[in-house]
Amino acid sequence: MSSTSVLIRRGHVIDPANNIDRPMDILLREGRVAAIVEPGGIKSDYDEDFDAHHLIVAPGFIDLHVHLREPGQQHKETIATGTQAAAAGGFTSVCAMPNTAPVNDTPDVTTWMLQPDRGAVVNVFPVAAATVGSSGEKLTNFRDLQRAGAVAVSDDGKPILDDNLMREVLRTAARLELPVVQHAEDPRMHPGASMNYGANSLRMGLRGMPNTSESSIVLRDIRLTRESRAHLHVAHISTAEALEAVRRAKKENLRVTAEVTPHHFTLLDENIGHYDTNFKMNPPLRSAADRDAMIAGLKDGTLDCIATDHAPHAYHEKEQEFDRAPFGIIGLETALPIAITVLHEHFEIPLLRVVQLMSTNPARLFQLMHRGTLAVGAFADVTIFDPKLRWKYQAATGYSKSKNTPFDGWDFTGKVMATIVGGKPVYLA
Ligand code: DOR
Ligand code: ZN
């Protein structure tokens, strides 16, 4: 399948953007979708074919929130290894957060990340820092960063705390139609915290982050969004209170969107067990009530998309006392299997909704044109998966340079079988 035209035949196509949820054949030619027709309907020539019988054929998945660690932290991940992990997870596009070293706060860094020498195997869309060095003092040059290829601005890893600065970020971004991605946390409320605040943090003797740390920032940001008409995108939302604030903002027709990670709709703070740092991330795993709220938000549309917050860290960095280890877990290779196992199999959410959450909606949120759809003329980014295959995930065999995941050894239903970017296969199971 390395040729210029590929026929994907006998698959079940799910393309929510075009209301397609039935068997179709798809012809990819010269990097675009050339035709999508009833099974057996392609009469023209093609170089190769892929038999997708019993498989789902979907527009390529798009992850709005990954940490690729380049430049500067190549011992954790590189753009090459991170995008290989993305391909194995069915992601054809990833948005790379700016908390690199140096921070992606200049067009030079953005441009460098996009150079072919980085060896990316899927599309990379940089998210630029909103403030210089992400230090929350002075705005970066949004226009220049956008021209260099940035698709959104964020100080992810840190919140933009100052009201006036956040107001300025939203106003400036609104003029350029750039989404503002906020890491909603008020660390002034919980210095030194390493997990969720509650019965479990008290039992474990660790300082905790209360839900209000997240919801107070989300409420403040919604208020500022009302003034600016900007697009506020809440990163990795984790609490019932913040979710309810987003629900109300949507009813008000504000441009407020939100993503949730697979771990926040699957795991609880009580799963941390014996101080296992592979369960340490920010925002932290929350209570059952919060997890249930995330499932409700995925069902009712309050949550717009699933994003992994893929945050690789080296073994020696995670191998420390719980409160000293860095926040973050990898997630690119487990996102679809978790979505199928937890959302589809257990909570009976239709696969169409899963595809919407992983492809259609993320493309729309960051205005990634001609992606998140299999319409004729769209980029030939395609994810083919088996929704029924049962398998055991083993982090050691993964493509990411890092192995920090709480899902090692889990039994999943649903597996990516092929990932095609621009008409070329970049992963085959
Ligand atoms: O767990 C996290 N890890 N949360 C963040 O906000 C940052 C990320 C990282 O860069 O490691
Ligand atoms: Zn974050």
Side-chain angles (χ1 to χ4, degrees):
M1 272 216 318
S2 57
S3 11
T4 54
S5 64
V6 180
L7 176 67
I8 303 169
R9 58 190 181 85
R10 302 210 301 160
H12 183 106
V13 175
I14 298 183
D15 182 11
N18 297 297
N19 290 316
I20 296 172
D21 189 354
R22 61 179 186 278
M24 300 279 271
D25 286 356
I26 301 183
L27 181 66
L28 309 177
R29 175 167 285 153
E30 280 152 23
R32 302 278 182 159
V33 177
I36 172 160
V37 300
E38 302 306 317
I42 301 277
K43 303 295 175 210
S44 59
D45 280 351
Y46 47 84
D47 300 315
E48 288 190 40
D49 70 285
F50 184 94
D51 185 359
H53 196 43
H54 297 307
L55 304 179
I56 303 289
V57 180
F61 299 155
I62 298 169
D63 191 343
L64 298 186
H65 195 138
V66 305
H67 298 273
L68 294 180
R69 305 302 192 205
E70 231 185 343
Q73 299 169 316
Q74 291 89 329
H75 67 289
K76 297 174 195 269
E77 195 80 284
T78 64
I79 291 173
T81 60
T83 55
Q84 278 159 25
F91 291 99
T92 55
S93 296
V94 294
C95 297
M97 285 297 167
N99 62 340
T100 46
V103 167
N104 180 14
D105 59 2
T106 61
D108 282 357
V109 178
T110 306
T111 305
W112 183 88
M113 289 172 66
L114 292 171
Q115 284 165 354
D117 284 357
R118 301 292 83 74
V121 301
V122 309
N123 307 300
V124 173
F125 294 100
V127 175
T131 71
V132 176
S134 283
S135 48
E137 281 158 24
K138 187 174 171 291
L139 257 62
T140 54
N141 188 324
F142 292 6
R143 186 182 296 276
D144 287 357
L145 288 160
Q146 187 178 38
R147 285 205 182 118
V151 294
V153 291
S154 179
D155 279 351
D156 184 55
K158 296 177 187 170
I160 300 161
L161 284 178
D162 185 84
D163 292 0
N164 287 325
L165 190 74
M166 185 59 177
R167 186 178 283 120
E168 206 186 328
V169 166
L170 288 165
R171 279 199 187 136
T172 311
R175 272 185 240 119
L176 299 164
E177 300 248 334
L178 275 174
V180 176
V181 183
Q182 175 73 299
H183 169 120
E185 176 196 357
D186 191 341
R188 296 168 298 196
M189 295 172 68
H190 47 73
S194 55
M195 67 176 287
N196 182 41
Y197 177 81
N200 289 295
S201 65
L202 294 167
R203 174 176 59 79
M204 294 174 74
L206 293 170
R207 276 189 280 266
M209 307 177 190
N211 282 24
T212 47
S213 166
E214 179 175 271
S215 57
S216 62
I217 298 294
V218 171
L219 285 163
R220 190 275 317 254
D221 288 347
I222 290 172
R223 186 159 48 75
L224 297 175
T225 301
R226 200 176 284 125
E227 293 170 16
S228 62
R229 307 303 297 174
H231 175 189
L232 171 72
H233 180 71
V234 183
H236 43 51
I237 201 163
S238 66
T239 63
E241 295 87 341
L243 187 81
E244 187 50 33
V246 170
R247 187 175 281 125
R248 284 200 305 269
K250 287 195 145 131
K251 288 210 176 102
E252 236 189 278
N253 283 321
L254 298 177
R255 281 170 80 190
V256 176
T257 57
E259 69 192 26
V260 65
T261 69
H263 46 280
H264 287 113
F265 67 68
T266 303
L267 301 172
L268 309 176
D269 60 357
E270 67 191 48
N271 298 134
I272 294 171
H274 200 70
Y275 303 90
D276 184 343
T277 60
N278 284 330
F279 289 75
K280 178 177 178 180
M281 71 294 286
N282 190 3
L285 298 173
R286 303 282 189 182
S287 68
D290 293 309
R291 195 272 317 272
D292 293 348
M294 296 307 126
I295 299 295
L298 285 162
K299 284 187 174 169
D300 75 8
T302 304
L303 290 169
D304 298 274
C305 67
I306 295 169
T308 66
D309 195 9
H310 177 82
H313 292 292
Y315 182 78
H316 70 275
E317 296 166 325
K318 278 294 203 178
E319 197 65 11
Q320 301 186 65
E321 292 86 343
F322 196 87
D323 55 357
R324 294 171 66 107
F327 290 101
I329 61 168
I330 58 169
L332 285 165
E333 293 169 74
T334 47
L336 178 77
I338 296 172
I340 291 180
T341 308
V342 177
L343 300 182
H344 180 59
E345 211 171 45
H346 186 77
F347 288 106
E348 300 181 340
I349 293 178
L351 286 176
L352 181 106
R353 176 78 182 134
V354 171
V355 173
Q356 218 167 35
L357 290 160
M358 298 188 71
S359 181
T360 326
N361 290 355
R364 281 187 187 147
L365 295 185
F366 282 13
Q367 299 183 50
L368 307 178
M369 303 303 288
H370 310 296
R371 301 193 196 275
T373 167
L374 291 171
V376 170
F379 289 111
D381 294 352
V382 185
T383 300
I384 302 173
F385 63 93
D386 185 333
K388 299 227 165 85
L389 190 72
R390 292 179 192 274
W391 63 295
K392 188 185 282 295
Y393 169 64
Q394 240 116 30
T397 62
Y399 286 79
S400 172
K401 212 177 231 198
S402 292
K403 311 295 171 197
N404 51 311
T405 168
F407 297 106
D408 192 19
W410 275 45
D411 291 309
F412 288 125
T413 304
K415 195 173 193 303
V416 173
M417 302 309 290
T419 306
I420 299 172
V421 175
K424 297 195 172 64
V426 293
Y427 174 78
L428 291 173

